[in-house]
Amino acid sequence: MEIKNLMWVEKYRPLKFNEVTNQKSIVDGIRNLIESPGEMPNLLFSGPAGVGKTTVALCITREILGDYWKDYTLELNASDERGINMVRERVKMFARYTTIVSKIPFKIIILDEADEMTNDAQTALRRIIEDSARSTRFILICNYLSQIIEPIQSRCVIFRFTNLKEEDVVKHLEGICKKEEVEYDAKSLSLLYESTGGDLRHAINSLQAVASMGTVNTVNVSVVMGISEKETVGEIVKLALSGKFQEARIKLIELTKVYGMSERNFLRYANEEIHKLKTLSPEVVSALAECDYRLVSGAHPDIQLASLLAELSKIGKDMDLKKK
Ligand SMILES: Nc1ncnc2c1ncn2[C@@H]1O[C@H](COP(=O)(O)OP(=O)(O)OP(=O)(O)O)[C@@H](O)[C@H]1O
Ligand SMILES: [Mg+2]
């Protein structure tokens, strides 16, 4: 077995458009654009991690270049540690090198993490895009569109990818479970979605980790995703907000001293839990930010976390008073 097939994210990476989950409007839009392949413009994909940007780019190269796709596609990472000059040189070389078999309309360069390029490098890239327009098309990929200079944006057709929805992620994971013949239940798949927030790569990797434990059930998912710890943080936050400061503090000590949760993780989880609350007050957010700041500046963690809980219980009591 090929090594890459050991990783489910690669084993189940879609090869054709119709295997891509969701992103329907994007896929339809692209299909229209490449109906006459020779007219494909340069493309710019933006969006969060693990939602299919690279996958769709590779589908396009297969669709347009057919059997030749491997030889006539250059996949580069702009944030490559060997430096932007190296990237620039390789793009230039590949774009210039002109012998193209007559069966393909152009070569394709996929430039991942384009938003990591400095403005100067992007300006140089813009020149390269223009100079090589006859022989080469670019598919630029980024997380943040705002980091791409305007002259590049205006030379590309832009597609904005979004996080996948729960039903899509669950359905996709279900399909993999069936093919891998692992036992699973629907609740566990929803849990996997919840703790990976629409990032399908993260969800598939986590699914594989859980499946290696035997079955995909909620207990194993909780272990792999550290969900039980997160739930405890949620409980502590709620206890504090309902004015039960002492109880909250005892649980906090248990969590940090016995289970060894770091204060940074406590704050991170507290932040996530706080944003799930139905009534989110600005004071709560400020209290968290204040604590975060003090910890970064080197204040004593035990004292700061206890003080955060005290602050939360005060805020909770004030909110109760206002209601009455
Ligand atoms: N829309 C999708 N349909 C099917 N599989 C997907 C989809 N999105 C992601 N995947 C799965 O997740 C893996 C990672 O996807 P991909 O490399 O396309 O993410 P990306 O959007 O380029 O993320 P990043 O910004 O981190 O590079 C793929 O190998 C595939 O298994
Ligand atoms: Mg990618």
Side-chain angles (χ1 to χ4, degrees), residues 25-292:
S25 62
I26 289 179
V27 168
D28 287 348
I30 290 173
R31 275 193 164 145
N32 278 336
L33 273 182
I34 62 176
E35 214 159 278
S36 31
E39 284 160 30
M40 182 185 108
N42 294 307
L43 305 175
L44 175 54
F45 295 170
S46 75
V51 296
K53 299 183 299 300
T54 304
T55 304
V56 168
L58 290 172
C59 287
I60 294 176
T61 65
R62 271 192 212 92
E63 181 91 14
I64 295 188
L65 306 180
D67 291 342
Y68 297 97
W69 79 272
K70 269 205 174 125
D71 288 337
Y72 290 93
T73 304
L74 176 67
E75 227 190 316
L76 278 181
N77 196 319
S79 68
D80 202 302
E81 76 255 29
R82 285 167 300 178
I84 201 65
N85 282 331
M86 161 72 132
V87 170
R88 217 150 61 187
E89 280 313 305
R90 289 194 59 188
V91 167
K92 236 159 124 181
M93 285 275 287
F94 183 82
R96 280 215 189 120
Y97 147 82
T98 44
T99 44
I100 290 188
V101 287
S102 57
K103 295 187 186 74
I104 59 164
F106 42 68
K107 295 174 277 184
I108 298 179
I109 295 180
I110 301 175
L111 193 59
D112 224 326
E113 303 195 19
D115 46 351
E116 298 287 321
M117 297 174 94
T118 60
N119 280 7
D120 283 350
Q122 290 189 35
T123 307
L125 177 67
R126 166 199 162 173
R127 283 293 308 274
I128 298 172
I129 293 180
E130 278 173 351
D131 294 347
S132 53
R134 226 124 76 61
S135 64
T136 312
R137 289 297 176 281
F138 285 78
I139 304 177
L140 306 177
I141 303 182
C142 68
N143 292 124
Y144 302 103
L145 198 55
S146 57
Q147 304 295 317
I148 302 289
I149 60 172
E150 175 55 35
I152 288 192
Q153 288 196 31
S154 66
R155 280 170 178 75
C156 297
V157 175
I158 299 173
F159 288 95
R160 294 179 175 81
F161 286 65
T162 50
N163 275 326
L164 298 172
K165 291 200 286 295
E166 172 162 2
E167 49 176 302
D168 296 321
V169 172
V170 167
K171 219 170 115 197
H172 196 81
L173 297 182
E174 205 167 7
I176 294 179
C177 286
K178 284 185 181 147
K179 285 186 197 135
E180 293 290 331
E181 297 179 351
V182 290
E183 235 178 273
Y184 69 94
D185 59 64
K187 177 131 196 289
S188 312
L189 301 186
S190 292
L191 261 183
L192 277 171
Y193 164 79
E194 272 169 35
S195 42
T196 54
D199 173 344
L200 191 51
R201 178 195 293 114
H202 191 190
I204 296 173
N205 277 333
S206 310
L207 176 72
Q208 187 168 11
V210 176
S212 72
M213 298 171 75
T215 4
V216 179
N217 55 32
T218 49
V219 175
N220 290 347
V221 172
S222 301
V223 171
V224 168
M225 307 306 292
I227 289 173
S228 48
E229 284 189 337
K230 223 187 257 182
E231 269 173 8
T232 313
V233 174
E235 272 170 40
I236 294 174
V237 167
K238 278 179 204 140
L239 276 173
L241 278 173
S242 61
K244 295 178 181 142
F245 170 69
Q246 275 307 342
E247 270 180 63
R249 203 173 73 96
I250 289 167
K251 267 193 180 297
L252 167 72
I253 291 171
E254 190 181 70
L255 195 62
T256 52
K257 299 293 173 223
V258 183
Y259 291 98
M261 179 181 283
S262 71
E263 64 273 8
R264 304 272 350 138
N265 274 346
F266 181 86
L267 276 192
R268 202 157 59 86
Y269 293 150
N271 184 43
E272 285 175 22
E273 295 299 322
I274 278 170
H275 284 89
K276 283 188 205 152
L277 296 176
K278 278 185 214 86
T279 49
L280 176 64
S281 90
E283 286 92 349
V284 172
V285 180
S286 311
L288 205 69
E290 179 71 19
C291 183
D292 183 41

